Amino acid sequence: MRAQLDSYFGVLTEAGATRSTDRYQRALERCLERLRDVMPIVGLRNPKIGRPDLTWNYCGPFDWVVSFQSGQLWLALQLTGEPIFLNAARARRPIFRQILQNRHARDHDLGFQFSLSCVADWLMTSSPEARELGLRAAEALLARFHEEGQYLQAWNPRTTHGGSRAEFVAGRVIADTMQNLALLYWAHQETGHADFRDAALAHAATTARHLVRSDGTSYHTFVFDTVSGAPLRGETHQGFADESCWSRGQAWMIHGFAQCALTTGDKEALDIARRLAAKAEALMGQDPVPVWDYCITEDTPAYRDSSAGAIMAAGVYIIASLTTGAEAARWNAFGDRLLDGLLTTCDLTTNPAAHGLLDHGAAHVKAGFTDTMLPYGDYYFMEALMRSLGHTQFFW
Ligand code: GLY
């Protein structure tokens, strides 16, 4: 088992200066404490969204969020080596077997779901069954590749509850999918089959061409002709407007392109990640935490989205790790600024009543899900804290 037991109280930067990181080390220790405390309460359930009393609402096994609890547990195992985290993470494996057995549940989120569960298990424990499940998930993700359009289809025409949304999902590419490519890169590394890598590279190129705007902002989704693959139009789903910039979508792309650059060494992916991150930084101004959409009008409620801040922080530290000298210092400083904003305004690890780590997330503002704990905010908060401290072993 690979366990990183080191404690970091200061990280030597490229420029030779020492960043003060003890605040992040202490926060990470509180995250571990919180995970230990709530483990008997959460059990095998899947946190979906916070309640006003800072406990969780839970969801069934076919939800895109089901791996964020296990992702935190695998990170905790890596940090501590404590069997309690291994047992809790491993006990969740049946959830992921179930996803593979339900065709309506298998969508582009297989990447989130399996990287942070079965791939993590394989990397940490060399479990052959975990590897097998991860590869089956990667095959199912690869099967979503649309040859004419050169993209991975995001959602399914039927929901797991039997509802139809064929018209809405057809030909639609979404920013979030950039996070799911890691499963394909991993499957390529494991098997040597070029199809996995080629589909991931092609999807990233399509995303770069059509979802990233020339000013460094991004569309949440983009629609393609389902037969010819011709690009049609950008549209939003969770953002303020079609031409606006949904902050979590921008964060998914920053982390996703940085992740691609880290895995493949692709300089163009790194440049796109830089451009998206610099634009988000400019749009944030002095805000400690990103607003849910960078282009809302003045009469629109300016809910914050702590999950966007956490995802972006983790991505920005990846960019820092791929750059040197003054540029690395600049990205580390932006990552630190994002973490400081979260720690100052959203940190729940000092509130003993809370079951999660971060407050003030915005799941879907127009659907009324605002100002709440979110399991993905929590997972990326831990990842960002670890990256800020120099950890390099993750599951993507
Ligand atoms: N991937 C779904 C979301 O970010 O809400």
Side-chain angles (χ1 to χ4, degrees):
M1 183 183 303
R2 271 186 347 218
Q4 284 183 304
L5 302 171
D6 294 351
S7 224
Y8 298 80
F9 288 96
V11 174
L12 198 64
T13 67
E14 274 280 330
T18 302
R19 282 168 51 231
S20 170
T21 53
D22 53 328
R23 188 179 191 201
Y24 309 144
Q25 176 68 31
R26 287 196 307 272
L28 189 55
E29 281 161 11
R30 292 196 304 275
C31 292
L32 293 172
E33 215 43 57
R34 174 59 43 84
L35 277 175
R36 278 191 201 94
D37 289 349
V38 301
M39 210 182 286
I41 301 167
V42 171
L44 289 178
R45 293 182 293 174
N46 306 305
K48 169 73 176 168
I49 191 164
R51 295 188 174 129
D53 66 357
L54 302 178
T55 62
W56 289 111
N57 271 313
Y58 297 94
C59 59
F62 301 140
D63 195 289
W64 76 279
V65 303
V66 292
S67 62
F68 294 109
Q69 185 69 19
S70 84
Q72 290 171 72
L73 293 169
W74 287 113
L75 289 181
L77 174 66
Q78 191 178 161
L79 287 163
T80 66
E82 290 172 23
I84 186 177
F85 290 123
L86 172 63
N87 296 339
R90 181 59 76 61
R92 293 179 167 266
R93 191 180 284 174
I95 298 169
F96 302 96
R97 260 195 231 107
Q98 266 179 284
I99 292 172
L100 289 176
Q101 286 158 4
N102 184 319
R103 71 181 192 283
H104 301 304
R106 295 188 305 257
D107 68 13
H108 76 127
D109 287 323
L110 287 162
F112 281 116
Q113 290 162 333
F114 283 79
S115 292
L116 299 182
S117 58
C118 297
V119 173
D121 192 341
W122 163 246
L123 294 174
M124 295 284 294
T125 74
S126 305
S127 155
E129 197 204 355
R131 179 179 182 275
E132 178 60 25
L133 291 172
L135 289 176
R136 279 176 54 201
E139 290 279 4
L141 183 55
L142 179 62
R144 306 182 69 78
F145 190 69
H146 189 290
E147 284 298 338
E148 304 311 317
Q150 296 284 292
Y151 61 79
L152 292 158
Q153 167 81 33
W155 296 315
N156 291 340
R158 294 281 170 94
T159 68
T160 48
H161 313 294
S164 172
R165 50 179 182 174
E167 201 53 40
F168 176 67
V169 305
R172 193 177 295 272
V173 171
I174 72 173
D176 323 23
T177 308
M178 284 304 299
Q179 287 293 284
N180 291 316
L181 303 186
L183 182 67
L184 297 178
Y185 289 126
W186 168 77
H188 171 244
Q189 282 163 3
E190 279 301 310
T191 63
H193 295 164
D195 280 359
F196 291 118
R197 179 202 56 207
D198 293 349
L201 289 172
H203 180 91
T206 301
T207 303
R209 195 171 314 120
H210 298 292
L211 279 82
V212 179
R213 303 189 187 103
S214 56
D215 67 356
T217 63
S218 55
Y219 285 112
H220 179 199
T221 83
F222 202 96
V223 185
F224 294 79
D225 183 285
T226 51
V227 178
S228 69
L232 298 178
R233 63 191 172 277
E235 286 182 352
T236 199
H237 174 52
Q238 279 148 284
F240 173 69
D242 290 343
E243 295 302 322
S244 73
C245 184
W246 179 51
S247 63
R248 190 161 65 252
Q250 185 90 356
W252 288 138
M253 302 246 271
I254 293 166
H255 192 292
F257 277 103
Q259 181 59 48
C260 282
L262 182 66
T263 307
T264 65
D266 180 9
K267 295 277 176 263
E268 210 175 308
L270 177 59
D271 278 347
I272 295 166
R274 280 180 172 120
R275 215 149 52 77
L276 291 162
K279 187 67 183 185
E281 186 179 22
L283 290 169
M284 272 183 74
Q286 298 307 309
D287 285 353
V289 177
V291 65
W292 67 281
D293 189 304
Y294 295 118
C295 304
I296 55 171
T297 48
E298 269 177 20
D299 55 348
T300 305
Y303 295 107
R304 302 290 134 185
D305 184 9
S306 55
S307 73
I311 297 159
M312 179 152 58
V316 161
Y317 287 123
I318 300 176
I319 301 175
S321 74
L322 294 171
T323 53
T324 55
E327 191 186 358
R330 170 237 196 288
W331 293 117
N332 275 322
F334 183 36
D336 292 355
R337 185 200 138 184
L338 290 165
L339 276 186
D340 289 342
L342 294 172
L343 286 167
T344 305
T345 62
C346 306
D347 182 14
L348 290 173
T349 62
T350 53
N351 177 345
H355 289 183
L357 308 178
L358 280 186
D359 206 354
H360 309 307
H364 190 164
V365 171
K366 286 190 275 188
F369 300 118
T370 58
D371 214 2
T372 185
M373 304 188 303
L374 295 170
Y376 32 103
D378 286 5
Y379 167 79
Y380 282 90
F381 182 48
M382 268 188 84
E383 183 182 313
L385 287 168
M386 288 175 65
R387 289 194 189 275
S388 82
L389 296 167
H391 291 265
T392 55
Q393 302 292 329
F394 294 91
F395 315 123
W396 41 36

